[in-house]
Every structure is written in C-alpha cells, then in structure tokens.
Amino acid sequence: MELLNTNSRFLHDNLVQYAKRLTDTMPEKLCVCYFVNSGSEANDLALRLARHFSGHQDVITLDNAYHGHVTSLIDISPYKFNQLGKESKKEFVHVAPSPDTYRGKYREDHLDPAGAYAGEVKKIIEETQKNGRKIAAFIAESMQSCGGQVIPPAGYFQQVAEYVHEAGGVFIADEVQVGFGRVGKHFWAFQLQGEDFVPDIVTMGKPIGNGHPMSCVVTTREIAEVFGASGLEYFNTFGGNPVSCAIGLAVLDVIEKEDLQGNATRVGNYLIELLNEQKRKHPLVGDIRGVGLFVGVDLVKDEQKRTPATAEALHLVYKLKERHILLSADGPHRNILKFKPPMSFTREDAKFVVDQIDALLTEMEEATGNKISTNMQCKRKTNEENLQSDCLGESINHVNGNACRQENGFYADNHVVPCKRIRT
C-alpha cells in the first residue's frame, strides 16, 4: 500500500500479471477479466454482460439461491425475496428447482436426476417463450451454499447450458463461495461437472483476497467485445488497483506453495469419513454430502420422512459456539450444518470438531430417549420458564419462521442459552 495505489486507468504490471495467473487456472475460452470489489458487484456485472450480449432481459435462477445483496441480485435470489412473499418475484425472474438429490423433486433413486432437473429448466424456457419473453441468462452457484450445501448431479450443467444457449442466453457460474481450490480435485467447482462443460461467465469473490475486498468476473472475448462495443465504458475505481492485484497474486502463491488444494482433498475426505461414522451412529444425521472442504450435514427428525431437524440444528450450533467452534446452519429449513472452514484446516481440526458434535448429539439423544417430539408447543408454567421459552423461541424464530412453535425434549431448563447471547 505504501508503494502505489491508483485506479486501473493508470496501468501497472500487477494488473496484467494477475489476470494472466487467474485465467491460466481456467478453460482457454475464459480469458477476459473484469476486476471489482465484492461478490455482489461481480454478479451484478455478470448480469449486465449477459443482457448486453443476448439482448434479452429474463433470468433463470435456482430455488433457494443467493447471489448477493444489491437490488439486482436480491431480485434473482429466492433465498431472499421469498421472505417477502410470492408477489415479490419479478416478472423477468424464473425459478428452477434446486438440483438437490436428497430433498428435491428428483432424488438419488431417480435413474437420471441430472436430465430430469435440466428438463425443468427447459420447460421454463419454453413457457417463457410462449409468453413472449426471452432468456438472457441462467445463473447458478456451482454448488449451492445457502441453499443447503447442494452438489448438482454430474451432467446437469451441460444440459442446462445447451437449452440456455439454444434460447440465446448465457450460463453464469457463481464461484464466489466455492472457488479457488476448495473442492480439492479442481480449482473451480464448475469443473466437477466434467471437461466438456465451460460456462460463459464466471464470478468469484470471498477467498480471492483472503479477507481483502476484491472480486472478479471472467468471460469470453466474444461477450467482452459485445459489451465494449455498446459504448457504455465500464470503469471501477478500486477494481484492479495495484494493491488488490498484489494481494490476489499472493493468495494464488500461497494456495500453490502450501498445496491448499491438495489439503482440501485430504482433509475433506477425512472429514466426510468422520461424519459418515456419525451418520451410522446418530439417527439425527440424515445425509452427509460434499466435496473437499465444502460439506453439509443434513439433520433430520425422521430418517424415512427426512423431516428437517431445524430446532435441533440451532441447538447444536449454539452448543458448539460455547465450545469455541463456529458453525452455522442453513438451507431452506435451516437444518443443514455448513462446513466451509479455512483452506488451512487440518485433520486434527476435523477430528476435534466431529468429536464435539458426537458428544453433543449423544447428549441430545440421551435427553430425549432417542425420540424427538414434534407436537408439543413452547409453553411454560412459571414466569422464569416463560422467559426462557421466549428467549429460545426468539432465537429459533430468527433462524426459521415457525420453528419456535416446536418443542424438543433436549431443551430442558439447564440447556437454555441466555437471552442476551441469543440476541447477539
């Protein structure tokens, strides 16, 4: 920072060197970079690129998707706009089912879940065209995070891209949360779909600067040239400045020199192995899914019905926090434990976390006699108990609307988290 910090109108070698290093990790046709400052800014620009290139307006997004906090992205993030009611969905937005093979419409026993989910996108395109509208883009996180740690079945993206391209649209892969080697076997999560799949636009953020505010949009020369020819110059004051590019280069150096991608594979496989042991041991653990250091644990009240264990997940998260372990629950029912640790996460770290989860699950099952009650209301007889119930209800309600209406045996008085802590 002491050396030089200018905007990108003043050329500096860092800008070119970083663009070269970054595009070297991608398929050849993804060769033009736009440097920006956050994942939201990257996805917003990706929409502009798609609309300029296609000349169309409409966007297909996945159910439970989240792509950023600015207005254009809230519009295409069901994870957010669904909270405002059905009328909040804009007419140019079309929502396809999340390709979830555990909870979704087509599950693991389906002969071709990838084709079935892609077929849902095709139906949306056909219906949209009947109504006189045209698709500009299909956008998806390469693996859904807020949507519940969903790993799309192999071949899904290829088929969706084919349908979208036929409609004159482009495919946007959102790698903001899952890129930069987190999946281990590949540098980018979209590469899990196979070498025959290449998105038209890729967005990235979060890990790109290891805490420094920066992000990037990478696209094809064809799309970039159409965007540039529009006459609307794209300029970003801080995007691509020499300091941010130096930081981006340093992050790539560390990923390579410390073999963090290999670490994601080794530790991730070990973590999944440990968690699968918990699945065999605890009826609350319904599903373990993930790749590298991107793992989800789906908690259920009933293994056959796959009833989401929302309150149980929240209880577990708070108890882990008391043991100095930070974990969060997400997904449409807020019952999925999300594992997205730093890339330097070790086997010892994984063992420690899973041991604590094992102990807490055991406590919960002992407190309930291995049965989780779902039909009792949050009621207390004394004023003190009422206060505790209100606090617990407020906490659960913050995470998932109606969860506070369910009482579970493990919420005994000595397990209640203080109000002040919950509100924080």
Side-chain angles (χ1 to χ4, degrees), residues 241-303:
N241 74 78
V243 174
S244 292
C245 290
I247 290 170
L249 285 164
V251 169
L252 293 178
D253 286 342
V254 169
I255 291 173
E256 182 179 337
K257 292 176 181 177
E258 298 185 12
D259 189 26
L260 295 186
Q261 192 175 337
N263 186 67
T265 295
R266 293 186 294 272
V267 178
N269 289 344
Y270 180 60
L271 174 61
I272 291 172
E273 178 186 319
L274 294 175
L275 290 170
N276 275 319
E277 290 176 7
Q278 301 308 307
K279 183 177 184 295
R280 292 187 286 271
K281 183 176 179 181
H282 300 289
L284 269 171
V285 180
D287 186 43
I288 308 295
R289 51 183 177 265
V291 185
L293 288 176
F294 181 90
V295 180
V297 178
D298 197 314
L299 298 185
V300 298
K301 297 182 182 187
D302 185 294
E303 290 181 88

Side-chain angles (χ1 to χ4, degrees), residues 354-367:
V354 176
D355 282 349
Q356 299 303 311
I357 291 174
D358 181 22
L360 287 169
L361 288 174
T362 301
E363 286 180 13
M364 292 161 66
E365 290 163 357
E366 289 175 350

Side-chain angles (χ1 to χ4, degrees), residues 5 113 128 146 190 204 257 260 287-288 307 317 359:
N5 196 11
T128 301
C146 294
F190 72 77
M204 56 195 75
K257 292 176 181 177
L260 295 186
D287 186 43
I288 308 295
T307 310
V317 166

Side-chain angles (χ1 to χ4, degrees), residues 330-359:
D330 221 323
H333 306 288
R334 302 295 197 272
N335 69 307
I336 315 294
L337 300 181
K338 297 200 306 184
F339 289 80
K340 292 185 298 180
M343 297 271 286
S344 55
F345 205 63
T346 66
R347 287 173 62 94
E348 292 73 24
D349 294 329
K351 182 70 164 60
F352 174 72
V353 171
V354 176
D355 282 349
Q356 299 303 311
I357 291 174
D358 181 22

Side-chain angles (χ1 to χ4, degrees), residues 153-209:
Y156 171 65
F157 282 173
Q158 287 92 326
Q159 295 179 65
V160 168
E162 181 181 344
Y163 299 143
V164 172
H165 289 157
E166 288 174 356
V170 302
F171 191 111
I172 303 171
D174 180 342
E175 291 270 339
V176 171
Q177 294 201 47
V178 297
F180 289 89
R182 175 163 293 278
V183 299
K185 62 180 71 175
H186 298 289
F187 203 80
W188 305 105
F190 72 77
Q191 293 170 320
L192 290 169
Q193 292 283 309
E195 293 183 2
D196 58 334
F197 172 67
V198 180
D200 303 294
I201 302 172
V202 177
T203 60
M204 56 195 75
K206 296 189 189 300
I208 189 173

Side-chain angles (χ1 to χ4, degrees), residues 68-80:
H69 64 81
V70 300
T71 301
S72 65
L73 303 177
I74 294 296
D75 286 346
I76 63 167
S77 298
Y79 178 82
K80 287 293 186 181

